[in-house]
Structure formats: structure tokens, C-alpha cells
Amino acid sequence: MTETALHRHIVVVGASLAGTRTVQGLRALGHSGPITLIGAEDELPYDRPPLSKNLLNGAWSESSVDGIRLVTRAELDELGVELRLGSAAVGLDTAARRVRLADGTSVPYDALVIATGAAARPSPWRPPSGVYQLRTLDDSRTIAAQLALGEPVVVVGGGFIGTEIAAAAVGHGCPVTVVDPLPEPMTRLVGPEIAGSLVELHRRNGVRTRFGTGVVAIEGKAGELTVELDSGERLSAAAAVVGIGSVPSTDWLAGTGLELDNGVVTDRFLRASGADDVYAIGDVARWPHPGRGADVRAEHWTNAGDQARYVATALTRGVEAGYEPTDYVWSDQYDWKVNACGRHDPAGSSTVIGDLRAGSRAAVIHTDAQGVACGAVTVNWVRALNQARRLLSVGASGDSVVDAVRQLA
Ligand SMILES: Cc1cc2nc3c(=O)[nH]c(=O)nc-3n(C[C@H](O)[C@H](O)[C@H](O)COP(=O)(O)OP(=O)(O)OC[C@H]3O[C@@H](n4cnc5c(N)ncnc54)[C@H](O)[C@@H]3O)c2cc1C
């Protein structure tokens, strides 16, 4: 990297985890040129995982919101970062190297980092009121106020976020039903063993489940909704929370020459395909995963931070190797802290260590069809996860990971 690279104007679009960690990383690594951080929300950058956990289950109050800020305005001032909040990027001219904003202004760049994340996949069911979705701090506040009423709730979507919302609703005393068209919605995320135990956990806490059946319609209004399932069943609820995945925030990049395909497509150095000096990171990026032999768009907190650090390094010092993901995710459900790394291979095998039904600490080690350890999921047992993660990173066999984790028991 030349000295001049450190003086370039770097513009980061998306002021959340990936964007914030990028600007902090740039300064920490000696970037001395101007940095502009652009965010659509009129909020200082904040962390999203608590939105479906402590902020929703009543454990935290409004005064706790400061605790989820990723950075303060004073810190950004000290870093010399120009912060443009409340004005979304609406266009990009890669030839002129300018980002156009909703307020009519445009910002020139020498290098651009796209970190616009994702939005909740819009609900196909839109009665006049009573249907909620969760992605932002405002969404979380609105849903928390609804749950605090203790009225019946239908959660559509049995993934991590849907089930965390269900657990929070139970905590508020709401009768809760979770609906998902998949027979075992969490299997894809954590494998069948933990997925099954999580469903049991929810049922023990009073959650009703309707899996293997989809929603056909949601009618009525707040306080008196009817959720119609394709099984013919009709559920009455005061509110419905729809958590059916997310869509990458790329609308503003349409027609710019960047390759868009379920995210901004990048090479293994996270350089966006279709323009020079443009990178994409975090939930919006789709990049070649070295271990999976396929392009991946990860929607995980750890990945967003890791990619930010990687791109900050690429922009200041240069990188020789492509981005190596850690594939780590977690979820809190009641008193279960679920941690997962790697993946579950349906063609491989899995070994359970500990008693998943007892709710004490337990682990599942996933092995691929070749006998190599490919993933681990733990419940209330971070030490086992860390051990497995270390061995996975060196390509250990499934048997040796199982032995190593058993020794920790
Ligand atoms: C409720 C919830 C709970 C979660 N819990 C977990 C968890 O337990 N564990 C885990 O690993 N992950 C979790 N995640 C995922 C994790 O939060 C994300 O992976 C992470 O936030 C991704 O960061 P990001 O900066 O790439 O994108 P985002 O956090 O989506 O941020 C993108 C930012 O860009 C802004 N933006 C979008 N378009 C524009 C535009 N055109 N111009 C300017 N700004 C724009 C958005 O307003 C947003 O602020 C959770 C996510 C949610 C929503």
C-alpha cells in the first residue's frame, strides 16, 4: 500500500455494525484521509441482537438503550469521521465516484464501502393494523409495547428471531403460537438434535406451534386479527409478528453496474463485482465462502464485524489472502444460550454430548460425509464451543472433536 492510499476519501454507506467497525478500523490502522459514514436511520449506530432479546423481554428499560450504541458522537468526532445520519443513499455513479443522497446532495469518494445490511422481508399480509416486523430499534420498541399488553400473539416464522420473539412474548404473559411452513424450522440453522430440543423447550414454556403449515391470510385489525393457515385452522390474536427472513438493502444500487444477486456480489477480497474501489461487507454482501465452495450471504453479527476489520485492513495495509469467515452465531431462548459455529451436513453425522432435554450444558458435534468435523452447537457451554471452533479451524476429524469436548464435561 502506498502512503497516498491512506489519504483517500473513504465513504461508508450504512451506519450500523459493519459500517461503524469499518470506520473505527480505518483510523486504528492509520488511515488519515477523510472518512464519511452515511446512515439512513436517524439514530446513532446501535447493536441489533438485543432488539429481540433484552429489549423485548422487558429485562431492559428505555434507559438501557444507550448501552446498545456501537459508538458515541463524541467518539466519531474524535476519530474525525463525518457522520451523515437520516439521509439514505439513493444512487451511485461509479464512473464519477459519487454517492447520491435522499436529501439531494452527493458525496464524492475515492473508495466506497457498502454496508447497507438487510431489511425484514416484507410481510405479504397487511391488514390495516396489528402486524409487526422486527429489524430496527423503533420496531423493537413498538413490539415491546404490544407484548407488554399480555394479549395473544401469533409469530409467523420459526427461525432464531421468530422464536426469540416468542420467548419474549411468553415472558410478558402473552399466549403465543408460532407458525412455520417447515416441519422443523430450526434444523437448517442448528441441525435436528438442537432444533428438536428447542421446539420442546418452547412447548414446555407454553408456546403452541403450528409447523409444516403456512399462513394463507391475516385479516382484521389490531386486537382482533384472524390468522388463517393452509391447514384450514384459524387463529385469533391481538397481534402478529412476521419474521420470515430478510432481504439485502440493494435497491439504491440498481442499474449502477454492480453485480446484484441476493446481495452485492463480491470476490474473495470483498471487492464488489462491477466497479473499482468498491467493497461490500456484512449482511448486504454475497461472497465466495472458501469452505463451502459457494457464494454466501451471512446474516451474523460476527461476520459483519470480521468483514469490517478485513476491509479496513485491505484499504490501509493491503491484504494477500481472501476473507476467511469464522461462521459463528448465537441465540438466547429463555435460559438457553445457544452458540453455533460451522454448519450441519445433512449427508454427515452428529454426536450429542450431554443431555439436551435436561437443559443443562450440552453440545452437538457435526461431522461431514468425509469424517471431518464441520460444525458444533452448544447449549449453555461456551467453553465447549470454543474448543470445537479451534479444532474445526485446523480441519480436525469429527471423532477427535467429540473426544476433546467430552473431556471438558
Ligand atoms: C432482531 C435481530 C436480532 C439479531 N440477533 C442476532 C444474534 O443473536 N446473533 C447474531 O449473530 N446475529 C444476530 N442478528 C444479525 C446481526 O444483527 C446482523 O448480522 C448485523 O446487524 C449486520 O450488520 P450490518 O451492519 O451488515 O447490517 P445492518 O445491521 O442491517 O445495518 C445496515 C444499516 O444500513 C442502513 N441502510 C440501509 N440502506 C441504506 C441506504 N440506502 N443508505 C444509507 N444507509 C442505509 C440501515 O438503516 C442500517 O442501519 C440479529 C439481527 C436482528 C435484526
Side-chain angles (χ1 to χ4, degrees):
M1 274 276 146
T2 60
E3 189 55 27
T4 46
L6 297 176
H7 302 307
R8 294 183 295 174
H9 182 189
I10 297 180
V11 172
V12 180
V13 183
S16 181
L17 181 64
T20 305
R21 294 292 182 251
T22 302
V23 303
Q24 290 170 325
L26 285 168
R27 285 296 187 234
L29 293 168
H31 186 81
S32 53
I35 300 176
T36 308
L37 178 62
I38 296 167
E41 292 175 68
D42 210 356
E43 289 274 1
L44 273 175
Y46 58 87
D47 219 8
R48 285 177 212 277
L51 304 186
S52 53
K53 304 177 180 67
N54 293 356
L55 277 181
L56 211 54
N57 63 21
W60 288 1
S61 63
E62 186 60 32
S63 60
S64 315
V65 167
D66 279 348
I68 69 166
R69 298 287 175 204
L70 295 167
V71 70
T72 63
R73 199 171 278 274
E75 282 162 351
L76 287 172
D77 286 347
E78 208 166 298
L79 292 175
V81 172
E82 187 194 355
L83 184 62
R84 306 269 310 253
L85 290 180
S87 193
V90 292
L92 169 67
D93 183 337
T94 57
R97 294 190 180 221
R98 292 193 88 88
V99 176
R100 199 155 42 80
L101 303 189
D103 64 8
T105 60
S106 73
V107 183
Y109 67 84
D110 298 311
L112 173 69
V113 180
I114 297 169
T116 44
R121 183 180 299 285
S123 167
W125 313 285
R126 298 178 190 201
S129 57
V131 170
Y132 303 95
Q133 297 201 271
L134 177 56
R135 183 78 201 179
T136 66
L137 183 53
D138 271 352
D139 296 337
S140 181
R141 288 183 175 120
T142 306
I143 296 170
Q146 172 63 44
L147 299 186
L149 301 176
E151 295 174 345
V153 177
V154 170
V155 177
V156 185
F160 274 157
I161 290 186
T163 48
E164 286 181 356
I165 294 168
V170 166
H172 285 284
C174 305
V176 185
T177 309
V178 181
V179 181
D180 196 295
L182 295 175
E184 294 174 341
M186 271 180 289
T187 295
R188 190 180 54 82
L189 301 168
V190 289
E193 299 81 7
I194 300 248
S197 304
L198 280 170
V199 171
E200 285 306 313
L201 175 70
H202 279 276
R203 288 185 183 146
R204 282 202 298 277
N205 279 279
V207 171
R208 296 191 306 163
T209 54
R210 296 290 182 271
F211 292 158
T213 179
V215 171
V216 178
I218 303 181
E219 281 159 4
K221 60 181 181 175
E224 42 195 78
L225 292 179
T226 302
V227 181
E228 192 185 332
L229 308 186
D230 57 20
S231 61
E233 189 180 4
R234 293 162 72 83
L235 306 170
S236 297
V241 187
V242 177
I244 51 173
S246 70
V247 283
S249 301
T250 54
D251 285 359
W252 67 286
L253 297 167
T256 57
L258 292 185
E259 190 184 343
L260 305 177
D261 181 6
N262 182 27
V264 179
V265 178
T266 77
D267 66 8
R268 65 198 179 95
F269 300 100
L270 306 180
R271 296 177 301 205
S273 305
D276 292 334
D277 296 312
V278 179
Y279 294 78
I281 58 171
D283 283 18
V284 76
R286 186 144 172 266
W287 39 276
H289 190 297
R292 301 201 189 161
D295 284 357
V296 161
R297 190 171 68 78
E299 296 178 51
H300 305 327
W301 190 93
T302 310
N303 180 65
D306 287 351
Q307 291 195 330
R309 270 183 291 279
Y310 178 87
V311 161
T313 308
L315 286 166
T316 49
R317 302 186 173 182
V319 285
E320 281 172 11
Y323 171 69
E324 287 282 344
T326 51
D327 291 333
Y328 169 73
V329 66
W330 78 93
S331 177
D332 295 353
Q333 317 240 351
Y334 310 98
D335 56 354
W336 280 33
K337 304 263 178 222
V338 181
N339 292 271
C341 66
R343 68 194 169 93
H344 163 247
D345 180 0
S349 60
S350 300
T351 306
V352 179
I353 301 162
D355 184 357
L356 281 169
R357 292 189 62 86
S360 53
R361 62 186 195 178
V364 177
I365 308 302
H366 298 309
T367 304
D368 70 12
Q370 284 71 46
V372 177
C374 60
V377 188
T378 61
V379 176
N380 296 334
W381 201 5
V382 174
R383 204 165 151 233
L385 198 279
N386 289 340
Q387 175 74 304
R389 208 168 149 185
R390 194 177 56 74
L391 292 169
L392 252 71
S393 71
V394 295
S397 70
D399 287 346
S400 61
V401 179
V402 168
D403 285 347
V405 171
R406 279 206 175 115
Q407 281 174 21
L408 298 175

